[in-house]
Amino acid sequence: MPVTTTTVLAAVGQLLLLLAMLAAAHAPLGGYLARVYSAPRHTRAERAWYRAVRVDPDAQQHWRSYLLSVLGFSLASVLLLYALGRLQQHLPWNLGFTGLDPAGAWNTAVSFTTNTNWQWYSGEAAAGHLLQMAGLTVQNFVSAAVGMSVAIALVRGFARSGTDGRVGNFWSDLTRSVVRVLLPLSVVAALVLVAGGVVQNLDPHTAVTTLDGGAQHLLGGPVASQEAIKELGTNGGGFFNANSAHPLENPSPWTNLLEIFLILLVPTALPRAFGIMVGDRRQGWAILGAMAGLLLVAIALTTWAELAGPGTAPHLAGAATEGKETRFGLAGSALFGAATTGTSTGAVNAMHDSFTAPGGGVVLFAMLLGEIAPGGVGSGLYGMLVLAVVAVFVAGLMVGRTPEYLGKKIGRGEMTLVALYVLTTPAVVLVGTALSVSVQPGLAGIQEPGPHGLTEVLYAFASAGNNNGSAFAGLTSGTPFYDTLLGLAMLAGRFVPIALVLALAGRLASQRTVPASAGTLPTHQPLFVGLVATVALVVVGLTFVPVLSLGPVAESLS
């Protein structure tokens, strides 16, 4: 379908409607999140849970204890999910599916525990209802809650003064994230999705007769309940192989817009909670401004690339419609692609492998940016706060002052942790990509040679290393080589940054807050917002420009 004025106006209209929905929810949800993590009392259900697991929710943990709790909980999650996958044939509601192979079970367990939700398998052909509900959906809740907990721990590091490295209680933060935030929002979202036509039942495969008289088997299942937390928790993955392009997961344009809204809802509200908790709401607006600016640029570029359709095939076809659902259109697919790669969601409603070369390059760059625009639930906030620390350090060097952010001095120890954080994901992505294009098992999975094939591999490791989970769709990744290597990339991409963020939170919480002076850099003004966004672009540009030049840039110029 050729691009018309109506198409452009529809693209702008759906974006404005999305922004209005997010703006309406920003203040109420942001304020609620701040109260959730600051409230001194626990609900009756929460107290019963704490007694059952024998933890003291009021005990303030040192950052090392907080980290050990995160790692211990995540290790238990990996082992449990691995066991469910391997023993699936013995579970009820298995739909006749066998257990996952060892490499596949490992990849799936790591993927959902790390909030990546990378899927090497077709959901409707490999995972029974119990595995989907008790395994994958549960991890969608708790892995998202882990990210939110770590972000709040870093916020407390800025907000507290002289607390000897104590940043809160992981078990309390985890429980409140699930019980008070994710679960109630998911129930409401699931009901709305059911009203929109998303399936929610426990039916097995049902035989139906098609219009031409043929036979087809359709799988039911608890789709809406998983779809809600999949988007709300920026998890990704899908009940069906077609993901959010499947009509039983995403039936119509308005459910498509609702799912994009759910993806962006919590990440855009967390900056307000940050501003409230540090006692200066303007700081939250500044962080949100940097996030929103980068996201809007990504949406604009992706939409332009898909509507313009540069390239021989789109030119001959009249539009870049390959790999896209006609019920969403080019603009709906582009908006979803920018939102899902700007966060750590990984859900897709179109095949990113079929995006135009510049469009595919933009969504890839959004992941390589560290998914901070606005990022995943929790991970986006702490990623942007780390870059804010880099920005004040750079500004301090330019004016010859000791860098400070929110009353905390940024010294050598803090910058060492920040530098390691910034270098972790590029190391994971580039080493994994280089190894894969250097050995035969890695080369065997590439669908197309040349720049596009390199982009396929780079995208896979950018997705795994940033805990995104979306796929370029051309790489054959369901092999022992890629299952194992991508699993390792997911672990490193998730828990090394978390360890560094909690260490930074501990150092900041131990400091005494320094009062602002005439020479303090204002970190709530537009100049600082632009500086943070520029730091994000420069850090990624210096790191990934060479490999991007060999992949999507070379393909765009060919």
Side-chain angles (χ1 to χ4, degrees):
M1 54 180 181
V3 178
T4 63
T5 302
T6 303
T7 305
V8 175
L9 290 177
V12 174
Q14 74 169 353
L15 177 59
L16 292 177
L17 178 57
L18 174 64
L19 294 177
M21 293 164 63
L22 291 172
H26 175 74
L29 182 56
Y32 175 70
L33 289 171
R35 293 192 297 273
V36 164
Y37 296 111
S38 303
R41 295 186 177 183
H42 311 287
T43 66
R44 183 176 301 178
E46 290 169 351
R47 290 195 298 269
W49 165 249
Y50 297 139
R51 286 194 297 269
V53 296
R54 297 184 179 182
V55 298
D56 179 3
D58 296 314
Q60 291 294 304
Q61 293 180 301
H62 188 271
W63 74 263
R64 293 190 184 90
S65 298
Y66 201 104
L67 174 60
L68 289 176
S69 297
V70 170
L71 296 178
F73 178 77
S74 300
L75 175 61
S77 298
V78 169
L79 295 176
L80 177 60
L81 194 50
Y82 179 84
L84 288 174
R86 293 286 290 141
L87 300 174
Q88 179 174 219
Q89 67 269 30
H90 304 296
L91 301 177
W93 293 319
N94 59 32
L95 305 182
F97 296 140
T98 61
L100 305 179
D101 67 89
W106 145 264
N107 184 279
T108 301
V110 169
S111 174
F112 280 81
T113 300
T114 58
N115 199 243
T116 309
N117 304 86
W118 171 276
Q119 290 176 289
W120 57 271
Y121 59 89
S122 299
E124 63 266 49
H129 291 341
L130 188 65
L131 177 58
Q132 294 272 20
M133 293 186 295
L136 308 186
T137 303
V138 168
Q139 286 305 313
N140 282 351
F141 279 98
V142 296
S143 66
V146 167
M148 296 171 70
S149 301
V150 173
I152 293 302
L154 180 58
V155 172
R156 291 194 188 106
F158 286 109
R160 293 181 173 182
S161 178
T163 61
D164 192 28
R166 301 188 182 279
V167 294
N169 186 287
F170 169 72
W171 304 106
S172 175
D173 293 339
L174 178 77
T175 303
R176 292 183 178 197
S177 298
V178 173
V179 174
R180 302 191 190 187
V181 182
L182 298 175
L183 191 57
L185 289 176
S186 295
V187 170
V188 174
L191 292 174
V192 176
L193 288 173
V194 169
V198 180
V199 171
Q200 181 71 18
N201 55 46
L202 292 175
D203 292 345
H205 291 85
T206 302
V208 298
T209 303
T210 62
L211 293 176
D212 60 0
Q216 186 175 350
H217 288 81
L218 298 180
L219 178 65
V223 181
S225 55
Q226 183 167 327
E227 192 74 12
I229 187 58
K230 155 189 162 180
E231 312 294 17
L232 184 66
T234 62
N235 290 282
F239 196 93
F240 300 101
N241 187 46
N243 210 287
S244 289
H246 198 289
L248 300 186
E249 283 195 35
N250 193 4
S252 64
W254 78 261
T255 60
N256 187 64
L257 190 64
L258 172 64
E259 292 187 11
I260 298 173
F261 169 73
L262 292 175
I263 290 172
L264 299 173
L265 179 60
V266 176
T268 56
L270 275 170
R272 182 172 181 84
F274 159 70
I276 294 173
M277 293 179 71
V278 298
D280 187 351
R281 297 185 181 185
R282 298 174 301 174
Q283 304 296 335
W285 284 114
I287 293 298
L288 179 62
M291 289 176 168
L294 294 171
L295 175 62
L296 290 175
V297 170
I299 291 173
L301 291 177
T302 308
T303 303
W304 164 81
E306 298 312 303
L307 292 182
T312 303
H315 177 72
L316 294 175
T321 55
E322 178 192 335
K324 300 182 178 69
E325 284 294 319
T326 55
R327 64 184 187 277
F328 304 141
L330 299 179
S333 299
L335 180 58
F336 201 109
T340 196
T341 52
T343 61
S344 64
T345 310
V348 294
N349 74 348
M351 292 298 100
H352 292 179
D353 188 42
S354 296
F355 273 23
T356 62
V362 172
V363 296
L364 172 59
F365 188 80
M367 288 193 300
L368 295 175
L369 200 61
E371 295 174 338
I372 52 173
V377 286
S379 61
L381 178 60
Y382 65 66
M384 186 59 84
L385 290 177
V386 166
L387 292 180
V389 171
V390 177
V392 297
F393 182 77
V394 171
L397 291 179
M398 289 191 293
V399 299
R401 285 183 54 87
T402 301
E404 298 174 11
Y405 186 48
L406 302 179
K408 300 299 175 73
K409 292 185 178 295
I410 309 301
R412 183 178 64 180
E414 289 76 17
M415 282 309 301
T416 299
L417 294 171
V418 168
L420 290 174
Y421 178 98
V422 170
L423 293 173
T424 295
T425 300
V428 170
V429 173
L430 295 178
V431 170
T433 302
L435 181 59
S436 297
V437 299
S438 301
V439 297
Q440 185 55 39
L443 293 171
I446 298 176
Q447 177 177 280
E448 300 180 40
H452 195 83
L454 175 61
T455 303
E456 291 174 358
V457 178
L458 177 63
Y459 193 103
F461 281 93
S463 180
N466 285 283
N467 302 130
N468 183 280
S470 66
F472 216 52
L475 185 71
T476 302
S477 60
T479 63
F481 174 82
Y482 278 113
D483 280 344
T484 303
L485 192 57
L486 288 171
L488 293 173
M490 294 174 206
L491 285 176
R494 176 70 164 181
F495 294 114
V496 173
I498 281 179
L500 295 170
V501 164
L502 290 176
L504 177 63
R507 290 187 64 91
L508 295 173
S510 298
Q511 290 188 33
R512 295 287 180 183
T513 302
V514 179
S517 64
T520 300
L521 173 70
T523 55
H524 61 275
Q525 296 181 354
L527 179 63
F528 183 73
V529 173
L531 180 59
V532 173
T534 301
V535 165
L537 293 173
V538 169
V539 167
V540 175
L542 293 177
T543 306
F544 290 109
V545 160
V547 70
L548 289 172
S549 300
L550 296 174
V553 174
E555 185 180 0
S556 299
L557 297 176
S558 62

